[in-house]
Amino acid sequence: MPLHKGPGKHQKHHMSYNPFFGEANPVSGMTEAPPTHRLPDAPLPPNTAAQLVHDELMLDGNSRLNLATFVTTWMEPQAAVLMAECRDKNMIDKDEYPRTAELERRCVAMLADLWNAPDPSTAVGCSTTGSSEACMLAGMALKRRWAKRNGDRYPGARPNLVMGVNVQVCWEKFCAFWEVEARTVPMEGDRFHLDPQAAAELCDENTIGVVGILGSTFDGSYEPITDLCTALDDLRDRTGLDIPVHVDAASGGMIAPFLDEDLVWDFRLPRVASINTSGHKYGLVYPGVGWALWRDKEALPEELVFRVNYLGGDMPTFALNFSRPGAQVVAQYYTFLRLGREGFRAVQQSTRDVARSLAERIDAMGDFRLLTRGDELPVFAFTTTPEVTAYDVFDVSRRLRENGWLVPAYTFPANREDLSVLRIVCRNGFTADLAELLAEDLQRLLPDLRRQPHPMVRDKEAATGFHH
């Protein structure tokens, strides 16, 4: 074996190391809790810091039992591994991460084909952090197209956007941030979303577009996109006003193509200029990823697109934020590849079956009246029957929460502020077994609720659950 001599003279040098390496002080934090609203003075050992955070997070609700959120709460472990491999990649760096950029491009192409773009090769689109950003981008495109058509009057004229009062709050934000008047169609009677004719009557020469919702967050129902386009066609024939439609398909865009193939709502309608969806909802990906697509290059004004050098080529980008990880886009591509059309159809059908079965079980209890039955989005809303006076939906929500179930209760907007409902969102991972447990818990609570002298929740605003 070779022999090695030590150095003839002791060599002194300074070592540069990452302060995260090794434990800082094995007894720190043992006698005094670290501050929570300012930086601690000294480091903690990694295991100690991790345990403190872990223990506090145990007080969160169980995401699998959260029936308020549309957001995906379960993915396969293989997807989690891929996401972990990509969480350090800033996907805006297209030249550094060309394969991530390519997977994003493929997802856009797949969605263009899924949503029946006239020529999927000419449709344009991008990933976003979610539907909220996608809606902002779509709204910006609508406003810019309107401004170009009305250059002789804008900025003096004030643009407006027509939509149902049931839209997700991101559309209210868009109108506030980009100085657009929001014109909303109220609910009436048993119509809990936009009425096409009423929407057309709100349009004028300053209308940048009309938003149709494929899957209302309030009750899970589809808005009649075809009827909306027909009403706007009639408006054009009568007045010359040619108003584009944006379809907010945050949830329905990944349900209808697989379960409602005969429903025409997408780019098959020439008036539909753009569509968005949430990959992290029924796209079956952890938060946050969304998608925005335009039917062709003419629908997205060129001046809104920024261009970066992509491997010596041209890479157009359109986004509100700059840096974000590529993990969710990679997970979306994995899900598309993993399931295909048949896999998506099976998963979404299973989710709809759970929703319809649970809705029927709750309807059979006798205390509740269904507003929807989960046969569009796998979502349904219900309220108490007129005969129930001892408790209300807010009491039901409160008591279910005691058992770990997060079921939101909330009041509808204009003109149905008199109606308060519970809503259940069924997602992949909310199985028939879990639905059975929920139904059993609800059935078990009813005798106690019926014995109440009156509804117990006084402050309805404070009790209202998050329903978007």
Side-chain angles (χ1 to χ4, degrees):
M1 60 181 294
L3 297 175
H4 299 275
K5 292 183 178 181
K9 187 177 180 180
H10 182 63
Q11 297 178 354
K12 294 182 178 179
H13 66 278
H14 295 283
M15 180 181 292
S16 176
Y17 64 94
N18 188 328
F20 279 100
F21 293 169
E23 298 198 356
N25 180 351
V27 298
S28 67
M30 294 296 189
T31 59
E32 184 177 343
T36 57
H37 293 82
R38 63 174 177 83
L39 282 172
D41 295 328
L44 286 175
N47 289 340
T48 303
Q51 190 66 47
L52 286 171
V53 176
H54 172 80
D55 289 351
E56 188 159 349
L57 289 176
M58 287 194 303
L59 298 176
D60 272 346
N62 185 329
S63 63
R64 292 282 297 280
L65 302 184
N66 183 356
L67 303 182
T69 184
F70 286 78
V71 172
T72 296
T73 56
W74 182 87
M75 289 189 75
E76 293 174 311
Q78 293 87 342
V81 171
L82 289 171
M83 294 181 75
E85 292 174 355
C86 299
R87 60 191 173 197
D88 60 340
K89 297 180 180 180
N90 181 8
M91 63 171 298
I92 199 66
D93 295 334
K94 309 295 185 183
D95 54 342
E96 292 291 334
Y97 308 115
R99 301 322 301 170
T100 302
E102 174 59 24
L103 297 189
E104 180 186 27
R105 188 198 303 267
R106 292 178 190 176
C107 288
V108 168
M110 289 176 177
L111 289 171
D113 177 68
L114 187 67
W115 295 339
N116 296 292
D119 181 0
S121 65
T122 62
V124 293
C126 61
S127 67
T128 65
T129 55
S131 270
S132 291
E133 183 187 3
C135 291
M136 298 288 170
L137 299 179
M140 288 166 59
L142 290 174
K143 183 180 179 183
R144 187 61 60 94
R145 289 178 63 195
W146 170 85
K148 290 175 67 175
R149 292 194 305 267
N150 295 273
D152 57 328
R153 298 187 304 112
Y154 183 75
R158 187 185 183 194
N160 65 73
L161 182 67
V162 174
M163 50 197 163
V165 72
N166 57 301
V167 292
Q168 214 267 359
V169 68
C170 68
W171 288 106
E172 299 173 29
K173 292 181 180 180
F174 166 77
C175 290
F177 295 165
W178 273 271
E179 298 182 329
V180 173
E181 177 192 356
R183 294 187 176 179
T184 56
V185 177
M187 296 179 177
E188 295 290 348
D190 291 332
R191 175 180 57 76
F192 304 121
H193 54 226
L194 174 144
D195 172 74
Q197 192 57 45
E201 291 172 0
L202 289 177
C203 295
D204 59 23
E205 67 276 8
N206 295 328
T207 302
I208 65 174
V210 179
V211 176
I213 309 294
L214 194 73
S216 172
T217 60
F218 279 89
D219 64 354
S221 62
Y222 294 158
E223 291 191 332
I225 307 299
T226 297
D227 293 346
L228 173 62
C229 290
T230 298
L232 294 174
D233 287 343
D234 294 341
L235 178 69
R236 176 202 56 203
D237 295 342
R238 288 186 287 105
T239 67
L241 296 174
D242 197 8
I243 311 295
V245 167
H246 172 80
V247 179
D248 183 350
S251 294
M254 298 304 296
I255 294 288
F258 306 110
L259 302 186
D260 308 296
E261 296 181 77
D262 295 333
L263 180 68
V264 179
W265 62 274
D266 50 21
F267 289 126
R268 285 170 289 183
L269 298 167
R271 193 164 293 282
V272 173
S274 50
I275 301 172
N276 72 275
T277 198
S278 285
H280 61 227
K281 291 182 180 175
Y282 289 102
L284 308 180
V285 174
Y286 286 138
V289 60
W291 300 92
L293 268 71
W294 291 263
R295 68 181 303 117
D296 49 38
K297 294 179 180 178
E298 286 68 36
L300 177 59
E302 178 65 24
E303 61 268 26
L304 294 178
V305 179
F306 289 81
R307 300 187 177 276
V308 297
N309 187 5
Y310 172 48
L311 293 180
D314 181 53
M315 185 66 190
T317 64
F318 186 31
L320 292 182
N321 63 319
F322 198 71
S323 298
R324 60 188 175 92
Q328 285 80 3
V329 167
V330 170
Q332 184 74 84
Y333 182 70
Y334 165 82
T335 304
F336 286 164
L337 194 65
R338 166 79 171 86
L339 292 178
R341 284 181 180 259
E342 288 305 314
F344 260 98
R345 184 173 294 110
V347 169
Q348 311 298 39
Q349 184 64 59
S350 174
T351 307
R352 181 181 279 181
D353 290 345
V354 169
R356 294 176 66 177
S357 174
L358 181 57
E360 291 172 4
R361 176 77 180 269
I362 291 174
D363 189 35
M365 293 179 185
D367 285 35
F368 304 105
R369 176 175 66 89
L370 296 177
L371 277 64
T372 47
R373 295 180 173 271
D375 51 2
E376 292 181 323
L377 289 189
V379 174
F380 62 96
F382 58 102
T383 189
T384 52
T385 63
E387 296 77 24
V388 173
T389 58
Y391 67 91
D392 58 18
V393 295
F394 300 97
D395 290 318
V396 176
S397 178
R398 172 178 55 83
R399 292 300 306 275
L400 284 173
R401 193 181 187 96
E402 294 171 2
N403 288 1
W405 302 104
L406 304 180
V407 178
Y410 51 91
T411 302
F412 272 21
N415 290 333
R416 288 306 314 267
E417 296 95 337
D418 60 305
L419 180 60
S420 297
V421 306
L422 294 149
R423 188 205 61 206
I424 291 177
V425 178
C426 299
R427 305 177 306 278
N428 183 40
F430 181 66
T431 62
D433 290 340
L434 286 174
E436 179 69 18
L437 291 174
L438 171 63
E440 290 175 357
D441 281 348
L442 179 56
Q443 186 77 62
R444 194 178 301 115
L445 291 172
L446 287 181
D448 282 349
L449 289 168
R450 291 165 181 160
R451 285 193 292 268
Q452 290 184 177
H454 52 73
M456 297 297 184
V457 178
R458 300 299 186 188
D459 186 354
K460 308 301 186 187
E461 290 301 318
T464 296
F466 180 72
H467 56 79
H468 283 109

